[in-house]
Amino acid sequence: MSRFIALIRRELILAMRHAGDSVAALLFFVIAASLFPFALGPSPQVLAGITPGVIWVVALLAALLPLNRLFGADFEDGALDQLMVSGLPASAVALGKMIGHWLTTGLPLLIIAGPVAVMLRLDPVLLPRLLLTLLPGTILFSLVGGMSAAITLGARGGTVLLPLVALPLMIPALIFGAAGVIAPHPVAEFAMLFGLLALFLPLAPLAAGAALRAAVS
């Protein structure tokens, strides 16, 4: 456990040293969401209706931005080989990096989503529900994105392949998350979101660990 915690601490320290990646994701989230009022007009009724979908789509795309460095930087400088022989299982190495991604990208997106949603005229009554759907949603983005980053690690054109692998797997979370904000009785949508989380929480680290072993072998 101490090695696993040390791995997460290492990821946080590296994220602070390369804070530009996380800042870029947050800036993309704010700027991209701010474009919709210019394109669709400032009508509160129109903006309120599309805000849940806008927030979810832009958060998904913003979460993808730092994924290229999640394993890529360590793979290029040899640090990944050292992590794989550090005594931690490969799945634990992958999970630690996924947690680091969520803490440095997913959690800030979750925090900033509230003010952005208010800016887009979301009904204040729906704001807590939006944040409740984004909590498992951002975790899913980190799990699925981390798994996809590991699968495409070292592949030719991996930067292009990464979103092609990740986006189809993230679409179910996007559908149920956005629908859960506006549904009159969102029990089914929340159940599906947490069901997806229960599926990918063990699956994503295992698949990513297997991909990392193949990449460094």
Side-chain angles (χ1 to χ4, degrees):
M1 181 60 70
S2 60
R3 291 177 180 175
F4 185 69
I5 295 175
L7 173 61
I8 297 175
R9 186 184 301 115
R10 172 186 180 272
E11 293 302 308
L12 296 178
I13 292 173
L14 288 176
M16 292 177 63
R17 291 177 181 174
H18 302 280
D21 294 335
S22 297
V23 172
L26 295 178
L27 287 176
F28 172 84
F29 178 79
V30 174
I31 293 172
S34 302
L35 293 176
F36 284 86
F38 292 105
L40 300 174
S43 170
Q45 292 79 13
V46 173
L47 291 177
I50 67 169
T51 293
V54 168
I55 294 294
W56 262 87
V57 169
V58 178
L60 186 157
L61 296 176
L64 288 176
L65 292 180
L67 286 176
N68 283 327
R69 290 187 54 86
L70 186 61
F71 300 108
D74 288 338
F75 180 70
E76 292 172 359
D77 64 15
L80 185 60
D81 297 84
Q82 298 179 16
L83 289 174
M84 297 298 287
V85 297
S86 64
L88 284 172
S91 57
V93 172
L95 179 60
K97 284 187 161 291
M98 292 170 184
I99 292 174
H101 176 271
W102 184 79
L103 289 174
T104 57
T105 302
L107 182 58
L109 286 174
L110 179 63
I111 293 171
I112 203 172
V116 173
V118 172
M119 178 190 72
L120 293 177
R121 309 293 182 88
L122 180 70
D123 186 343
V125 175
L126 298 179
L127 183 58
R129 195 186 294 182
L130 173 67
L131 299 180
L132 282 175
T133 60
L134 281 174
L135 177 58
T138 52
I139 297 174
L140 279 166
F141 294 161
S142 294
L143 291 171
V144 176
M147 179 180 68
S148 303
I151 291 172
T152 58
L153 182 65
R156 180 178 297 179
T159 303
V160 178
L161 288 175
L162 175 55
L164 295 180
V165 174
L167 286 175
L169 297 173
M170 293 178 176
I171 286 175
L174 173 66
I175 293 172
F176 293 116
V181 180
I182 60 176
H185 305 287
V187 176
E189 287 79 4
F190 273 87
M192 291 302 299
L193 266 180
F194 282 98
L196 289 170
L197 183 59
L199 171 66
F200 280 106
L201 191 57
L203 177 63
L206 290 173
L212 292 179
R213 285 194 299 268
V216 300
S217 60

